[in-house]
Amino acid sequence: KRAYMSVEKRRRDVKEENDKVLSRRDTIRIDEFPEISGNETENEGLQHGQLEEKWWSTVVAGGIAGAVSRTCTAPLERLKILFQVQGLSAGAHPLRHTSIWPSLVALYKKDGLLGLWKGNGLNCIRVVPSSAVQFACYKFYREFFFCDDGSGHVQLKAWQHVIAGGLAGATSTICTYPLDLIRARRTVDFRGDVPSSLIGGLRHVLHTEGIPGLFRGIIPSLCGIFPYLGIDFAVFDLLKRYCRTSKIGLSTTNEELLPTTKLLCGAIAGVIGMTAAFPFDTVRRNLQVASLKVRHSEPPKTMITFMSETVRLHGVAALYRGIFPNYLKAAPSVAISFTTFEALKPFFDRLHPQDW
């Protein structure tokens, strides 16, 4: 979700630069996904060092960047999920995973080196369709609800971005949720109960649990989207304003925030938003894998049931199990994704249909 917000900010910066350059010439309309036609305008854009941005290049570059960042941080992601769901099978016994490094070593001894990346393939497969759906829906909801056609004539407020982004995230979550469910079950499966292939996993869930089983845990997943985005946007704007007023991390030429400053502000805002929404993620993971982990009693079936029972038996802290591995992977994940996207996006923008 942060990747799309970053793309929007980058696109607005490009528009402002184009407006300055073309202020003495004929005014041209710059769409959100510009497909500039005509030799004259295309040559002008190239003369000023601006590349024609294509919607598909953003989706492809974002998908590859997401897959690379997820692959690099997959061991910590698997560890986070194991931390979250271990209470289901532990019962009254002591928890197996209590610290990061010993748990990684134990996973390595049990499943080997490749076992640290168990479930990552399905996670990478989910990235591209999730990115495509969210990107398209974000544009659609902005135009449908707020009449923002991407021309730059409508300046959306922060709360409008939150609503459009939240609805786009919710739509993307619903469309790709079965993939996330199979990935989560593969991640925590030590007995070989979950088929190794995606199609086999989907068939197994349909046969044993029906269509509702493919969407088990989707309610807390949807509930966590808006708190995350709302806090994320609010903190991001506050940090940017603070940096501008305090003259921190500004460019010496135009006194605008440096890209690294924006990246740092975004990372801090993302961590705070993630912390606020983390209990919903814990509930989602537990509901997804409850049929695997709970063997001798009735597994939790609703968000309210699980949260109330967990808080009653283990306290509020149990809802934050796994947050430290999540903190540890947050910064490198954002940095790798941002760097990969910025490296690939200009390359795809330069491609033309005849190049394929």
Side-chain angles (χ1 to χ4, degrees), residues 226-258:
F226 285 98
Y228 171 80
L229 282 180
I231 296 173
D232 191 2
F233 262 93
V235 174
F236 186 61
D237 285 339
L238 288 174
L239 290 175
K240 287 197 302 181
R241 292 177 188 175
Y242 175 78
C243 289
R244 288 194 181 99
T245 55
S246 303
K247 305 293 184 182
I248 299 175
L250 301 181
S251 173
T252 56
T253 56
N254 54 10
E255 293 189 354
E256 290 293 326
L257 292 177
L258 294 170

Side-chain angles (χ1 to χ4, degrees), residues 182 195 198-208 214:
I182 300 301
L198 173 61
I199 301 301
L202 292 174
R203 286 177 176 174
H204 177 74
V205 174
L206 283 174
H207 178 72
T208 57
L214 293 175

Side-chain angles (χ1 to χ4, degrees), residues 275-348:
T275 303
F278 195 81
F280 293 105
D281 186 63
T282 299
V283 176
R284 171 182 61 146
R285 294 302 182 196
N286 279 272
L287 293 179
Q288 284 178 332
V289 305
S291 60
L292 290 177
K293 306 294 284 185
V294 179
R295 298 284 180 173
H296 305 294
S297 61
E298 182 71 16
K301 293 184 178 181
T302 66
M303 178 178 70
I304 301 300
T305 300
F306 176 80
M307 293 187 76
S308 59
E309 285 296 310
T310 301
V311 172
R312 182 178 66 84
L313 296 175
H314 306 289
V316 177
L319 297 176
Y320 286 90
R321 287 173 183 160
I323 197 168
F324 290 110
N326 213 31
Y327 283 152
L328 197 59
K329 79 180 183 67
S333 177
V334 171
I336 294 169
S337 180
F338 182 83
T339 304
T340 306
F341 180 86
E342 290 299 318
L344 293 177
K345 184 63 167 63
F347 169 76
F348 288 120

Side-chain angles (χ1 to χ4, degrees), residues 53-193:
E53 295 196 18
K54 305 177 179 66
W55 67 268
W56 61 264
S57 67
T58 301
V59 172
V60 174
I64 295 175
V68 172
S69 67
R70 281 164 171 77
T71 300
C72 293
T73 59
L76 291 173
E77 174 66 17
R78 188 185 183 198
L79 194 62
K80 182 205 78 169
I81 296 176
L82 291 175
F83 270 60
Q84 287 177 309
V85 305
Q86 62 182 332
L88 285 174
S89 56
H93 300 287
L95 297 177
R96 178 178 301 175
H97 302 288
T98 56
S99 57
I100 296 174
W101 181 251
S103 297
L104 286 174
V105 173
L107 284 178
Y108 171 74
K109 292 180 178 179
K110 188 176 183 63
D111 292 337
L113 183 61
L114 293 180
L116 298 176
W117 277 266
K118 191 174 184 179
N120 181 63
L122 294 175
N123 199 22
C124 292
I125 291 174
R126 187 178 62 91
V127 172
V128 174
S130 176
S131 300
V133 172
Q134 186 166 349
F135 198 85
C137 291
Y138 183 61
K139 181 177 184 292
F140 169 76
Y141 288 131
R142 279 173 31 199
E143 184 173 357
F144 182 80
F145 289 109
F146 308 116
C147 301
D148 179 13
D149 59 358
S151 62
H153 300 302
V154 178
Q155 297 295 327
L156 297 186
K157 296 179 175 59
W159 66 269
Q160 292 172 319
H161 280 292
V162 169
I163 291 177
L167 291 175
T171 305
S172 174
T173 298
I174 293 172
C175 292
T176 61
Y177 193 81
L179 301 180
D180 185 62
L181 181 133
I182 300 301
R183 193 267 294 203
R185 294 190 175 187
R186 281 283 297 154
T187 299
V188 302
D189 179 32
F190 291 102
R191 299 185 179 95
D193 296 334

